[in-house]
Amino acid sequence: MTSSTINGGISFWYADQGTPPPRAPLTGDASADVVIVGGGYTGLWTAYYLKQAAPFLRITVLEQKFCGYGASGRNGGWLYNGIAGRDRYARLHGHDAARRLQRAMNDTVTEVVETAAKEGIDADIHRGGVLEVARTPAQLARLKAFHETETAFGETDRELYGAVETRERIDIADAVGASWTPHGARIHPAKLVTGLAEACERLGVTIHESTPVTEIAPKRAVTPYGTVRAPYVLRCTEGFTAALKGQKRSWLPMNSSMIVTAPIPAATWDRIGWSDRATLGDTAHAYMYAQRTADDRIALGGRGVPYRFGSRTDHDGRTQPATVAALTDLLTAFFPQLTGIEITHAWAGVLGVPRDWCATVTLDRATGLGWAGGYVGSGVATANLAARTLRDLVQLDSGQAGPTDLTTLPWVDHRVRRWEPEPFRWLGVHALYAAYREADRRETLSHTATTAPLARLADRISGRH
């Protein structure tokens, strides 16, 4: 990290477009038909779809900072069809049920793209798909197994490439193969969430910012400025859930960090390729994710310090200098052509991780409490599907509509045990990610096609697979 790198400030995405004008906080007790806690993608999409379906509903969104302050304004801009927990749902509910969930996720990519266009939201969306690469024999073996699994879940339009075909698309050092799906798009995260909030307000949704919710209970959301009472209270707080009373161990707030380069000259892009602007990932255990931005930078992310003791979260997105250096090294390992490139911004955010790594949507019909999240880093698209599912569950419970395809998906009403108390939570997460990094190192040195046993052990302990 150089002295010119801006570290924190929420994210590069807000440095690029600026934070939106603040909305007024709650000024006293209020009532609504639905109160939504959290002004990120999940909360705003839920408000948007509910208000469209039932314009008479009084919907209030309560956001502790500003809409998009959390992961919705800090993510890597991957609008894609991945969903946390699908393979576990296949084991619990059968292959066909999980395949329906995957098909719904495939369709969600189109839903977001088309809705953004309909609402006039210019979020730098480019539908180039998702390219996931392998750079070691062990990664290639996992990639081929991953490709076969995705095909078995209905992705018959997915393509598998060898080393030469991969290099023809993008010149990544040591790339030995790749898998590409058309079900993905690059976005500018902050532009999407800002435009979505404005679309909600045009529909008549009330949004209060700078209004932290300290407690959620049946039929009420409590804030320092007053209590909002409503038949339905929907928790859409994802990585910030642990800050709520009684939720410390529900979802673990996992840190993910990002860097972004200065704009890259056209001549360098000619050497790199990446003309289709697919979002880019890999099959390492401590995986990376990247995009080519609309102004020709590379934004790249991965794990730094994975977790803060006591489920604490950051305040302004600042990340550790060592993490910035590690991500910069990863960038130049992928693209040696960029050695010495200026890193203009670095930041971090948290994502919600359930103990079994399964994203879920729930509405408790006895209390009117609902929630969605636990996306494990795949939330840009999943939040939209979760929101439409919450809409259908509320309408089903209130008698406004009957069951739908979404209300019968296998992630609905899935319950999971809580995370271990501290210090076991902190020790476990840090040990696991140290194991994943060491497994990646051993695979790079060994040049064998076998996944490191250390990673397999970590997967079993963590509950990832």
Side-chain angles (χ1 to χ4, degrees):
M1 185 172 71
T2 67
S3 59
S4 62
T5 303
I6 298 172
N7 189 352
I10 312 303
S11 71
F12 160 73
W13 310 118
Y14 284 114
D16 182 42
Q17 75 150 28
T19 55
R23 295 175 173 88
L26 185 70
T27 56
D29 291 345
S31 64
D33 297 310
V34 180
V35 60
I36 295 170
V37 181
Y41 291 145
T42 305
L44 293 173
W45 279 124
T46 301
Y48 175 84
Y49 286 115
L50 266 173
K51 192 67 174 175
Q52 278 204 325
F56 57 85
L57 288 177
R58 296 172 302 145
I59 300 174
T60 297
V61 176
L62 303 176
E63 163 55 42
Q64 68 161 337
K65 296 289 188 179
F66 61 84
C67 290
Y69 170 80
S72 298
R74 308 189 197 191
N75 64 79
W78 273 45
L79 175 70
Y80 86 120
N81 66 338
I83 184 166
R86 184 202 61 196
D87 293 352
R88 187 181 297 272
Y89 287 130
R91 293 194 294 272
L92 291 172
H93 301 279
H95 183 84
D96 288 346
R99 186 169 173 141
R100 284 202 303 121
L101 180 60
Q102 184 60 67
R103 188 164 56 246
M105 279 303 307
N106 297 349
D107 294 342
T108 294
V109 175
T110 300
E111 170 68 20
V112 174
V113 172
E114 292 182 350
T115 303
K118 182 179 74 174
E119 293 293 343
I121 301 172
D122 181 4
D124 296 342
I125 296 174
H126 181 85
R127 193 161 186 174
V130 182
L131 186 73
E132 293 172 274
V133 301
R135 298 176 64 235
T136 68
Q139 288 184 21
L140 181 61
R142 288 196 296 275
L143 179 84
K144 290 178 177 178
F146 165 76
H147 181 88
E148 291 176 4
T149 299
E150 299 308 293
T151 301
F153 278 103
E155 272 198 74
T156 55
D157 45 5
R158 179 175 282 273
E159 298 175 2
L160 184 66
Y161 305 133
V164 173
E165 295 167 299
T166 301
R167 284 289 185 88
E168 287 173 350
R169 294 187 72 123
I170 182 168
D171 188 14
I172 294 173
D174 302 321
V176 291
S179 179
W180 177 82
T181 176
H183 301 291
R186 176 210 67 197
I187 67 161
H188 185 300
K191 289 182 179 180
L192 178 59
V193 73
T194 299
L196 181 55
E198 293 169 353
C200 287
E201 288 184 315
R202 287 196 298 270
L203 290 171
V205 173
T206 299
I207 301 175
H208 291 297
E209 295 181 328
S210 300
T211 305
V213 172
T214 56
E215 181 181 358
I216 293 173
K219 298 184 171 42
R220 67 184 186 275
V222 181
T223 84
Y225 310 118
T227 296
V228 182
R229 300 183 184 277
Y232 297 100
V233 182
L234 307 180
R235 189 186 82 217
C236 302
T237 47
E238 185 55 355
F240 291 85
T241 300
L244 291 165
K245 182 178 179 180
Q247 301 295 332
K248 180 74 76 174
R249 292 164 54 196
S250 294
W251 291 335
L252 184 140
M254 182 78 73
N255 291 298
S256 196
S257 298
M258 293 198 71
I259 58 172
V260 68
T261 69
I264 296 169
T268 305
W269 278 120
D270 287 343
R271 295 198 299 275
I272 293 174
W274 207 348
S275 59
D276 62 359
R277 298 177 184 261
T279 56
L280 175 67
D282 73 355
T283 46
H285 301 293
Y287 56 86
M288 60 78 75
Y289 51 95
Q291 67 151 282
R292 178 177 175 177
T293 68
D295 60 349
D296 286 332
R297 306 168 186 259
I298 292 177
L300 179 146
R303 293 287 179 270
V305 175
Y307 171 71
R308 292 180 174 88
F309 189 87
S311 292
R312 289 179 288 118
T313 57
D314 69 85
H315 295 293
D316 69 349
R318 187 174 179 83
T319 194
Q320 300 80 14
T323 299
V324 179
L327 291 176
T328 303
D329 288 345
L330 186 61
L331 172 74
T332 55
F334 269 68
F335 303 106
Q337 311 94 320
L338 299 181
T339 299
I341 189 77
E342 181 186 5
I343 303 301
T344 62
H345 296 77
W347 70 98
V350 293
L351 49 100
V353 181
R355 189 61 182 85
D356 67 353
W357 298 70
C358 288
T360 57
V361 182
T362 297
L363 180 66
D364 185 337
R365 303 185 72 172
T367 62
L369 295 176
W371 57 90
Y375 304 134
V376 196
S378 300
V380 178
T382 313
N384 178 277
L385 178 60
R388 287 182 284 126
T389 306
L390 276 176
R391 171 202 61 194
D392 289 2
L393 289 170
V394 169
Q395 290 207 287
L396 173 63
D397 183 70
S398 62
Q400 297 172 25
T404 68
D405 289 342
L406 300 186
T407 62
T408 59
L409 289 173
W411 69 333
V412 173
D413 293 335
H414 176 77
R415 303 299 176 105
V416 62
R417 70 183 175 93
R418 293 155 69 82
W419 281 89
E420 290 78 3
E422 297 290 21
F424 304 107
R425 189 160 72 245
W426 185 90
L427 290 169
V429 173
H430 280 260
L432 287 168
Y433 273 89
Y436 285 132
R437 286 191 290 270
E438 176 62 17
D440 284 330
R441 189 187 72 83
R442 292 183 184 182
E443 290 177 3
T444 299
L445 293 175
S446 70
H447 300 293
T448 66
T450 304
T451 288
L454 190 60
R456 296 186 187 277
L457 175 63
D459 282 344
R460 285 198 298 272
I461 294 172
S462 69
R464 280 178 85 172
H465 299 294

